[in-house]
């Protein structure tokens, strides 16, 4: 059996990666539609060696569509997801618009695959930093029960879209040539800098990105009381989010035990031989679908503490790959 698939945001950083991931995984496609704004109507994209024209999204775009992959920003999702669902499509939405809606499952296939079963037309794809963190931590949680997570992120500019990628490139060139390039997407110059702000600030002093890590982790892991202390930072990296993570567990855990658990965990690759400079770095993780973990060590500050370094491709496992895996679950569970 094959399916009719639409991609909304097909010209964006995540949309382009969705196209690649569908190709690589040989997703069973009957008809495919590429949707974006009117600005992109008529542009060409390639899928499986065939050129397609991008269409401006409209109500008719979703007629006959089985699966709609959305990555065009929250406002577009709020507008178009209910329309696509009303036409019979299952929407897999990469924006934050529906993630905390109690009627919408929030799914990481390695953690809570069964949650896709209660969807009502929309399934949310979690925040990129949250996905890679729970893929690595959930297997440890199952055995040792995590009480607390302290995390600092080092997030790539591609997470903020195509304009932010251009910011890094243009600013870097400008600095080398002694000019100044005014940032277009990010709140500060990002070249040769780091910015401790991703998304808007909330009254409690945290950013929205940080609140996503708290709330989404709880929803995905079905642990409403797990404590998460995040700081989210943008760094001048094109692709690949890194995270310095410390956990406190209920049961004692050694670094060796954690390594053994993670070596068997789905979607996780352990790269941990620090003496030989083996630990994951974003340049090497970019382009890969797994979550990479290294620097696994007993934490010096907690009784039952463990620290580690987690790296994932934010466009792939953090967005496109996770969304396509959710689509694969719909097929597996015969929900479409
Ligand atoms: P477009 O290229 O036509 O602007 P990124 O996150 O990399 O900036 O990508 C955002 C994606 O969302 C692009 O594919 C963009 O299409 C799409 N998009 C932005 N605004 C709209 C809109 N009003 N309607 C449909 N798609 C949109």
């Amino acid at each position: 059996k094959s399916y009719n698939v639409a991609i909304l945001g097909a010209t964006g950083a995540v949309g382009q990666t969705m196209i690649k991931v569908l190709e690589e995984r040989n997703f069973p496609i009957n008809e495919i539609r590429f949707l974006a704004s009117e600005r992109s109507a008529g542009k060409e994209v390639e899928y499986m060696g065939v050129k397609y024209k991008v269409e401006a999204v409209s109500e008719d775009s979703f007629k006959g569509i089985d699966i709609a992959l959305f990555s065009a920003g929250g406002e577009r999702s709020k507008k178009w997801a209910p329309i696509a669902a009303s036409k019979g499509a299952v929407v897999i939405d990469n924006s934050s618009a529906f993630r905390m809606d109690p009627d919408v499952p929030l799914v990481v296939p390695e953690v809570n695959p069964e949650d896709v079963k209660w969807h009502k037309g929309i399934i949310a794809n979690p925040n990129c930093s949250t996905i890679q963190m729970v893929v690595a931590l959930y297997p440890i949680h199952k055995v040792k029960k995590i009480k607390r997570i302290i995390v600092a992120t080092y997030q790539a500019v591609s997470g903020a879209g195509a304009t932010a990628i251009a910011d890094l490139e243009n600013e870097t060139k400008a600095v080398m040539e002694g000019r100044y390039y005014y940032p277009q997407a990010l709140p500060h110059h990002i070249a040769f800098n780091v910015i401790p702000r991703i998304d808007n600030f909330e009254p409690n002093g945290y950013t929205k990105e940080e609140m996503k890590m708290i709330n989404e982790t709880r929803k995905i892991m079905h642990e409403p009381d797990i404590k998460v202390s995040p700081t989210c930072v943008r760094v001048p990296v094109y692709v690949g989010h890194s995270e310095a993570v410390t956990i406190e567990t209920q049961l004692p855990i050694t670094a060796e035990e954690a390594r053994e658990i993670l070596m068997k965990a789905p979607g996780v690759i352990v790269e941990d031989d620090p003496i030989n400079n083996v630990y994951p770095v974003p340049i090497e993780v970019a382009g890969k679908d797994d979550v990479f973990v290294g620097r696994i060590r007993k934490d010096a500050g907690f009784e039952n503490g463990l620290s580690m370094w987690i790296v994932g491709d934010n466009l792939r496992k953090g967005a496109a790959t996770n969304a396509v895996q959710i689509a694969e679950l719909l097929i597996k569970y015969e929900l479409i």
Side-chain angles (χ1 to χ4, degrees):
K1 202 172 165 205
S2 58
Y3 303 89
N4 297 340
V5 174
I7 302 178
L8 176 61
T11 53
V14 172
Q16 289 286 307
T17 312
M18 284 171 165
I19 297 172
K20 267 192 247 162
V21 172
L22 289 168
E23 280 180 337
E24 289 165 8
R25 299 173 83 92
N26 218 344
F27 194 85
I29 285 176
N30 175 43
E31 189 196 323
I32 187 157
R33 277 181 220 159
F34 300 98
L35 311 171
S37 77
E38 273 169 15
R39 293 181 293 275
S40 301
K43 264 193 197 164
E44 280 189 341
V45 293
E46 214 176 288
Y47 178 75
M48 291 285 193
V50 180
K51 288 200 164 67
Y52 292 82
K53 287 238 188 307
V54 175
E55 299 164 41
V57 61
S58 72
E59 300 224 356
D60 291 339
S61 307
F62 302 104
K63 259 194 213 147
I65 291 295
D66 301 303
I67 300 169
L69 300 170
F70 274 34
S71 192
E75 288 313 308
R76 265 70 67 190
S77 291
K78 275 184 207 151
K79 175 168 180 194
W80 294 105
I83 293 172
S86 75
K87 308 253 174 204
V90 181
V91 176
I92 301 170
D93 180 34
N94 193 52
S95 83
S96 60
F98 298 100
R99 287 182 191 147
M100 296 314 295
D101 185 327
D103 284 333
V104 174
L106 181 66
V107 176
V108 176
E110 291 86 348
V111 179
N112 61 333
E114 305 270 328
D115 279 340
V116 296
K117 290 181 179 168
W118 55 267
H119 83 80
K120 300 185 170 88
I122 303 174
I123 300 171
N125 204 43
N127 162 265
C128 42
S129 298
T130 309
I131 293 178
Q132 67 180 64
M133 187 174 82
V134 297
V135 166
L137 295 188
Y138 188 68
I140 298 174
H141 178 66
K142 279 202 287 190
V143 185
K144 300 289 182 181
K145 187 124 173 76
I146 298 174
K147 288 169 29 185
R148 183 190 300 280
I149 303 166
I150 300 166
V151 51
T153 69
Y154 304 68
Q155 299 185 218
V157 292
S158 51
T163 321
I165 301 175
D167 269 359
L168 175 55
E169 192 162 303
N170 290 322
E171 290 168 14
T172 306
K173 271 192 207 142
V175 169
M176 301 319 277
E177 293 165 5
R179 293 181 288 113
Y180 182 78
Y181 181 88
Y182 199 83
Q184 305 294 304
L186 300 170
H188 284 273
H189 208 272
I190 185 66
F192 307 99
N193 203 10
V194 297
I195 307 172
R197 171 193 163 172
I198 298 180
D199 209 332
N200 294 329
F201 281 101
E202 300 265 302
N204 66 1
Y206 279 96
T207 59
K208 281 208 166 111
E209 183 84 352
E210 289 157 353
M211 293 312 294
K212 290 174 206 167
M213 292 193 80
I214 298 173
N215 297 323
E216 295 181 22
T217 297
R218 292 173 168 171
K219 180 167 175 178
I220 298 161
M221 289 178 43
H222 298 176
E223 291 290 0
D225 298 321
I226 199 165
K227 292 188 171 60
V228 187
S229 308
T231 306
C232 291
V233 181
R234 189 75 69 192
V235 296
V237 166
Y238 276 129
V239 177
H241 288 358
S242 308
E243 298 175 342
V245 176
T246 296
I247 56 170
E248 187 185 15
T249 50
Q250 187 124 43
L251 301 172
I253 182 165
T254 65
E256 202 37 56
E257 277 179 298
R259 243 174 249 122
E260 273 167 30
I261 292 169
L262 289 173
M263 281 192 306
K264 285 186 246 147
V268 175
I269 293 184
V270 175
E271 278 187 350
D272 197 16
D273 183 12
I275 304 293
N276 292 309
N277 269 323
V278 175
Y279 36 74
V281 290
I283 275 189
E284 282 162 27
V285 167
K288 298 181 181 153
D289 288 311
D290 291 301
V291 171
F292 290 72
V293 187
R295 299 286 323 273
I296 301 166
R297 61 203 189 274
K298 184 112 194 67
D299 184 71
F302 286 114
E303 183 67 26
N304 290 342
L306 188 84
S307 290
M308 71 196 86
W309 176 248
I310 302 173
V311 185
D313 182 324
N314 53 298
L315 299 176
R316 283 182 173 260
K317 187 56 189 167
T321 303
N322 199 73
V324 173
Q325 286 172 323
I326 291 172
E328 290 169 347
L329 284 178
L330 291 172
I331 298 175
K332 180 180 160 191
Y333 294 141
E334 298 179 358
L335 297 170
I336 45 170

